Amino acid sequence: MRKPVSPVVGQRCLLAVTLSLAAFGLLSSCAEAPTRGAPSAVAQAQPSQSFDQWRDGFRAQALAAGISAQTFDTAFDGIEPDDSVVTADRSQPEFTRPVWQYLDSAVSPARVRNGQDHLLQNDAALQRIEARYGVERQAVVAIWGMESNFGAQMGSKNVIRSLATLAYEGRRPDFGRDQLIAALQILQHGDVPASSMIGSWAGAMGQTQFIPTTYQRYAVDFDGDGRRDIWASSTDALASTANYLSASGWQRGQPWGFEVRLPPTFDYAQADMEIRKPLAEWQRLGVQPASGNLAVDPQTSASLLLPAGYRGPAFLVTDNFRAILKYNNSTSYALAVGLLADSLNGGGQLVGHWPVGDAQLSRTDRVELQQRLSERGFAAGSADGVIGANTRRALRDYQKTIGEPADGYPTADALQRLRAP
Ligand code: CA
């Protein structure tokens, strides 16, 4: 789902991504405290008006925005707020899965086999999609698998009802209103009847889990029936995903990234998505492909990713990885898409080992880690339990002062040391 809510997840995914995954039971939570599902401690304002009052006021706004009275009244016929949407929107999970558990379910053997079957079944359409959008079929099918389990799990909520609930009493009323207007425009355009417009509680729709504004920008009619049907047409869904990746800068023929080995002594501060170097420069620093040789232009720009710190697998990731992040701004998600795409081709096996014995930090632990770093003069940003760039930088600075590898990866051990007087 991509939502514009916060730039975090890109257009279509903000909330939706995380959410949708959880809502669908696909991947219950992101390893990395993704933005979408990670609510902030915002005061929960109670609506000052009844739903009917809100709806009547919003109706005037929608009509002013060009929505016909008939479209609006048909879409809102019988619509009442959905308490489960409010509950989901306000949930603040205490525990998230570590990246290796997330990958185990996201790139399970069953999903790989399923994906390979879908590659074959959609071969003709995928050939045309590759030719038109320049995005490799494995990447497109991998996102399809991640978002909706290849169309099998699109969510089951009425999108108008979910968005109306968020606009009326959610934490992001502006998001709800903007998406609702876009959803009504889609209905008015005739792409889908209101009864078939289903998705996640956060308004991520169809097989692509596009939020309505992302749909408006990137959904395409590729099977030629005149409707952009990301619900019932796999061809439209696949082409829409490829169109979005293409618009996000996907380069055909470039890998999303690949696993690497680091030299015995290495400056782990280089592992930062904000640092980009040509592959040739990484090679000069001693970074080597973990297995085999890769036929990639040595001038290709890449960043070093250590999803579980210096003890876990390392990856060099390219601009295609960043294109996947526009779909859903979680490095765990993008890594899963990349590894699933590789797995569809028989690859995707890792050489490095995850630190599976590590105790996981709860949200409360992460907040404490941030508070203790800041107390010691390492500015970790707001203590919200989300490990972002500021927290990683602060943790690196702290790790340097105690002689630990400065990978910026939060561990129970680091928290323990910070608790010591
Ligand atoms: Ca169509």
Side-chain angles (χ1 to χ4, degrees):
M1 54 199 138
R2 305 41 243 201
K3 344 18 272 330
V5 185
S6 91
V8 211
V9 180
Q11 302 281 346
R12 55 167 227 127
C13 288
L14 255 200
L15 332 159
V17 186
T18 309
L19 311 182
S20 63
L21 301 178
F24 298 39
L26 291 180
L27 317 159
S28 353
S29 68
C30 280
E32 173 168 278
T35 27
R36 0 188 217 156
S40 54
V42 172
Q44 298 174 5
Q46 292 303 312
S48 58
Q49 54 189 346
S50 71
F51 181 75
D52 287 354
Q53 286 171 329
W54 170 84
R55 184 201 54 219
D56 292 346
F58 177 68
R59 185 177 186 275
Q61 292 176 33
L63 266 54
I67 302 300
S68 73
Q70 187 188 351
T71 297
F72 189 96
D73 294 339
T74 302
F76 272 82
D77 185 28
I79 293 287
E80 295 289 337
D82 182 343
D83 289 343
S84 70
V85 169
V86 177
T87 301
D89 189 40
R90 293 179 180 171
S91 76
Q92 213 163 11
E94 180 66 5
F95 292 97
T96 50
R97 290 186 294 174
V99 61
W100 50 90
Q101 286 180 18
Y102 173 84
L103 291 173
D104 277 350
S105 61
V107 195
S108 67
R111 179 167 288 164
V112 172
R113 280 194 305 275
N114 208 355
Q116 288 168 335
D117 289 345
H118 284 291
L119 273 174
L120 289 175
Q121 291 162 16
N122 294 276
D123 181 63
L126 287 166
Q127 277 191 34
R128 292 171 50 229
I129 288 167
E130 278 183 341
R132 170 71 179 77
Y133 299 103
V135 181
E136 282 83 356
R137 63 188 65 194
Q138 290 81 6
V140 175
V141 169
I143 287 184
W144 191 28
M146 291 290 293
E147 293 296 332
S148 63
N149 211 8
F150 312 105
Q153 292 165 289
M154 298 185 280
S156 57
K157 291 188 175 296
N158 177 308
V159 167
I160 297 294
R161 185 184 186 196
S162 294
L163 293 173
T165 302
L166 291 174
Y168 169 58
E169 63 175 348
R171 293 175 305 125
R172 291 169 288 253
D174 293 346
F175 169 80
R177 278 193 298 272
D178 292 348
Q179 297 305 320
L180 203 41
I181 293 283
L184 290 165
Q185 288 168 342
I186 294 163
L187 293 176
Q188 186 152 291
H189 186 262
D191 287 300
V192 62
S195 60
S196 301
M197 188 185 243
I198 59 168
S200 75
W201 67 262
M205 313 184 299
Q207 301 188 34
T208 57
Q209 292 291 283
F210 282 174
I211 54 170
T213 51
T214 300
Y215 175 101
Q216 288 288 63
R217 271 184 212 119
Y218 303 111
V220 294
D221 167 31
F222 203 72
D223 63 13
D225 71 349
R227 299 184 306 118
R228 299 169 294 171
D229 188 354
I230 59 171
W231 294 268
S233 168
S234 298
T235 298
D236 284 3
L238 291 166
S240 297
T241 294
N243 185 38
Y244 192 12
L245 286 175
S246 173
S248 299
W250 187 273
Q251 298 292 314
R252 189 173 192 176
Q254 191 176 97
W256 60 270
F258 49 90
E259 190 185 1
V260 294
R261 283 185 213 271
L262 303 181
T265 59
F266 188 77
D267 174 12
Y268 295 106
Q270 299 295 311
D272 187 322
M273 286 297 287
E274 292 173 20
I275 297 175
R276 307 177 191 215
K277 301 178 194 293
L279 292 178
E281 176 66 10
W282 287 114
Q283 188 171 23
R284 198 187 63 74
L285 293 171
V287 179
Q288 298 291 338
S291 58
N293 289 307
L294 287 151
V296 187
D297 180 349
Q299 290 313 308
T300 302
S301 173
S303 295
L304 182 63
L305 179 68
L306 298 177
Y310 76 97
R311 293 167 303 143
F315 303 86
L316 281 176
V317 297
T318 71
D319 286 344
N320 281 356
F321 189 84
R322 295 177 197 278
I324 302 169
L325 288 175
K326 294 232 177 112
Y327 212 93
N328 178 349
N329 193 23
S330 153
T331 53
S332 299
Y333 172 88
L335 189 58
V337 169
L339 292 173
L340 179 55
D342 289 352
S343 298
L344 296 176
N345 270 347
Q349 292 79 26
L350 299 182
V351 173
H353 298 286
W354 300 105
V356 294
D358 277 10
Q360 290 306 299
L361 295 183
S362 67
R363 185 178 170 281
T364 302
D365 291 336
R366 297 193 299 270
V367 168
E368 183 187 347
L369 180 86
Q370 292 171 317
Q371 286 169 337
R372 290 188 180 275
L373 282 169
S374 294
E375 281 165 15
R376 292 197 180 214
F378 304 99
S382 64
D384 55 5
V386 178
I387 305 298
N390 288 335
T391 305
R392 280 193 292 272
R393 193 178 306 117
L395 185 51
R396 281 196 185 108
D397 290 343
Y398 170 67
Q399 288 170 323
K400 284 175 193 163
T401 66
I402 59 171
E404 288 286 313
D407 61 2
Y409 179 68
T411 61
D413 185 57
L415 177 56
Q416 207 56 46
R417 294 187 70 155
L418 278 164
R419 281 173 177 157

